[in-house]
Amino acid sequence: MMTIQASRFTPEVLLSAPRRSASIPNSTGELALYTVSSYSFETHAKTSQIRVLNINDGSSHLVSEDAAAGEPIWIGETEVAFIKNGDNGCSMLLSQDVYDKSTAPHMIHYFAGSISNPKVKVLSSDKVAFVCSALTTPDGDMYWPAAETKSYTSAKIYTGLFVRHWDAWNTANQNSLWYGLIVKRDDKWTLEHPGLTNLLAGTRLSSPVAPFGGTGDFDVSASGVAFVSKDPELNPARHTKTDLYYVPIKSWTEKPSTPQLVKTGRLRGYSLSPAFSSDGRQIVFARMRSEQYESDKTRLLLLPDVTDLSNVQEFYETKDGEGGWDLRPDWAVWGKDDKVLYVAAELHGRMVLWEVPASPLEATHLPQAIHEDGCVIEARILGGSTSLLISSKSRIESSSYSILNPEKRSIKEISTSSKHGKSFGLSKSQCSEIWYPGSEGYNNHALVMTPSGFDSSKKYPLAFLIHGGPQSAWTDDWSTRWNPAIFAEQGYVVVCPNPIGSTGYGQAHVDAITENWGGGPYKDLVKCFEYLEKEVKYVDTDRAVALGASYGGYMINWIQGHDLGRKFKALVCHDGVFSTQNQWATEELFFPEHDFGGTLWENRSGYEKWDPSKHTGQWATPQLVIHNELDYRLPISEGLSMFNVLQARGVPSKFVMFPDENHWVLKPENSLVWHREVLEWINKYSGISDETKLESRTGKLTV
């Protein structure tokens, strides 16, 4: 793949650049499988490839460039299987040798339905246990749209909670896991009779957990499947509880036994990321304590023996139940010989990889960080070695593959997006961070990004980015939606603060935002702005703009009605909250119940206290409002209300709506419009547009 140097990092460059998946090594650790996709604004079309990386020399070669093919997995040392979506909601499972380009991919099986999230366990050179997910009917059949009886009405009728989720109206169909045995006969792979079997038929369980669940919600061993599912006895609109289940499987061609619940005592919240040890006898996973709080602290747990599901051990357990490690493990992988675990947990704006003994009894000291650069997306053991293949991202690299030696703490870069794709012209010198006095007596953290060609003796207008969540954080990561470099390359110093409510700074910092939406977080943002005013000489706070989405959009509206709002030349609110008293129009009701201290009728004062709409009489700063029709988390009436108030008050404002986007803007053409509207708005009010015109007339601007 030829490296292309961008003359300037623009939205077009960001959105058209190749996007690579995490890489998956084969059994020998010599090859790694990944996908790459890109979008052309000239042809208005997306292209996608399946490629194989040579880990020894960093070279790669093409396996498939079928736009309908994806989700590749290894089924042999040089053989892969992948899914191809067909017509009428059908799909195919295909196989191919990564070195054989003389023949077309071989069809393993054709499905009347759409399968996804494939995962395998190689049993022998000619047998592979295969598990995938598919939308499934209440009768337990794979859902096939073509088999539906035609309806002459569009009515949707509900008698219970949870009528829609994220961007879709709920139906009786649910995700289910399906399994089967792939065998090799006469040098061809085929799906053994009876094909795929529904693992969850008749159980009322569903996995992966919608809307974002994938292969991380289940794992496969030679003799069983572990998966997480919502508790069918609790309404998912008001509860976060997901349990871990184990299903022993004697034969991959026979009907399964009943899923068995893994008991975790007082821990009753989200369960996530189950992973079998190499022998299939142990499972490591994570779980939260509260069943109505999506941002509770996760605890790292071990099931030492799948034959005893009541014996679950917690790493760093304490008598008070708070846990001795004040970070939030996200996922874990087993090291060589199952002696050690490598655990991903966020710390200070980075997704760090940590080393932990594989037994809680041996974990007497807190974990050691073994990889702290950027954000680790995945880690995989390389063959039979102790080394790890790391897939990561950062603010300047959309994708990086490297080999980590945990014993030596050494890292060897294999392939980066800038070497095997499009070079963005960005450098580490543009990335820094600050710690500033927070409102609670301890320092808060913010990531900073400066323009390329930055000169500290000059002043640059401030782009103040406020993250969503609110229990989330700005991290040293890559994004095609909120990318700090896009704003920096316009000529801003970009500051991304992580105030109260942000993850990666201990659970108390996260929990402090509860029933405090416009309190501590707002004060922390004020403190950050004041610190920039007084201490950072190259930031021009007189030409500052602020932008935020979701909770960040809420905070834009809160700022608009308070003193900090007058410090900014312009504001941008994407899919934000106009009134906290409208929070019961959302779909996941456990969220407002937790964050506002109960239901609307039990604690209306808690909702009223932090309502931005109560302060609309002070709204005066020019504001761009963006809201999407398919956003069921924050319905479009929130955006319309903001715009109507701004217009009625005579405040310069603009409303941008995407009828085919949800809480995010994902379609490349729409995203390009989003970026152009946002940049045009802030550049106009910060004065950057005037500078650009002047430089263009004097011939100093290079595009």
Side-chain angles (χ1 to χ4, degrees), residues 199-357:
L199 183 74
L200 309 182
T203 64
R204 297 174 61 208
L205 301 175
S206 176
S207 188
V209 178
F212 305 121
T215 54
D217 279 359
F218 65 96
D219 201 21
V220 187
S221 74
S223 56
V225 176
F227 66 92
V228 298
S229 171
K230 287 276 192 178
D231 186 336
E233 300 301 324
L234 297 176
N235 192 291
R238 300 186 70 182
H239 298 86
T240 59
K241 184 172 184 276
T242 57
D243 293 304
L244 179 66
Y245 294 84
Y246 173 69
V247 184
I249 296 180
K250 295 180 180 179
S251 167
W252 292 90
T253 58
E254 298 177 3
K255 289 186 177 181
S257 57
T258 303
Q260 302 172 20
L261 177 67
V262 177
K263 300 176 181 178
T264 59
R266 60 186 173 77
L267 301 178
R268 294 176 52 82
Y270 277 128
S271 298
L272 57 153
S273 306
F276 281 105
S277 57
S278 60
D279 61 9
R281 290 189 60 83
Q282 305 179 79
I283 303 174
V284 63
F285 64 107
R287 188 161 199 183
M288 296 180 185
R289 179 168 54 184
S290 171
E291 64 180 52
Q292 286 189 298
Y293 184 21
E294 66 177 357
S295 300
D296 199 6
K297 185 171 76 172
T298 49
R299 321 300 173 92
L300 189 65
L301 302 174
L302 177 73
L303 180 65
D305 189 343
V306 294
T307 64
D308 182 5
L309 303 186
S310 62
N311 179 27
V312 173
Q313 301 173 6
E314 181 178 340
F315 287 81
Y316 308 110
E317 186 176 15
T318 56
K319 291 182 179 180
D320 63 5
E322 296 302 317
W325 190 28
D326 199 21
L327 295 183
R328 301 151 53 90
D330 199 45
W331 48 263
V333 295
W334 294 83
K336 185 182 179 183
D337 301 326
D338 298 334
K339 299 295 185 182
V340 67
L341 294 170
Y342 300 108
V343 183
E346 185 184 339
L347 176 68
H348 300 168
R350 291 164 180 84
M351 184 58 76
V352 176
L353 197 64
W354 309 79
E355 185 176 282
V356 182

Side-chain angles (χ1 to χ4, degrees), residues 100-167:
D100 184 6
K101 296 184 179 180
S102 62
T103 59
H106 168 70
M107 186 184 295
I108 298 174
H109 202 79
Y110 187 89
F111 302 97
S114 181
I115 67 169
S116 60
N117 300 308
K119 213 165 192 178
V120 297
K121 178 68 176 180
V122 176
L123 305 177
S124 66
S125 61
D126 58 0
K127 290 184 179 179
V128 175
F130 177 82
V131 180
C132 66
S133 68
L135 197 60
T136 303
T137 69
D139 294 331
D141 301 320
M142 196 174 290
Y143 173 65
W144 184 33
E148 274 195 310
T149 302
K150 182 179 179 180
S151 175
Y152 293 93
T153 177
S154 60
K156 299 180 186 298
I157 301 172
Y158 299 89
T159 57
L161 274 178
F162 217 42
V163 300
R164 60 185 191 177
H165 197 194
W166 190 244
D167 59 4

Side-chain angles (χ1 to χ4, degrees), residues 64-75:
S64 169
E65 53 184 347
D66 188 332
E71 301 191 80
I73 48 173
W74 291 106
I75 55 176

Side-chain angles (χ1 to χ4, degrees), residues 2-3 44 69 74 104 216 233 364 376 384 455 461 524 544 551 582 584 587 630 648 650 664 675 684:
M2 183 181 295
T3 300
H44 307 288
W74 291 106
E233 300 301 324
T364 55
V376 175
D455 183 348
D524 283 348
Y551 171 81
N582 295 339
W584 274 66
E587 8 85 284
L630 296 182
W664 304 329
H675 279 88
K684 172 184 175 181

Side-chain angles (χ1 to χ4, degrees), residues 444-467:
N444 283 356
H445 185 225
L447 299 180
V448 178
M449 193 154 194
T450 56
S452 55
F454 170 72
D455 183 348
S456 61
S457 66
K458 297 180 180 179
K459 275 185 172 288
Y460 300 82
L462 169 67
F464 200 66
L465 270 55
I466 306 171
H467 69 68

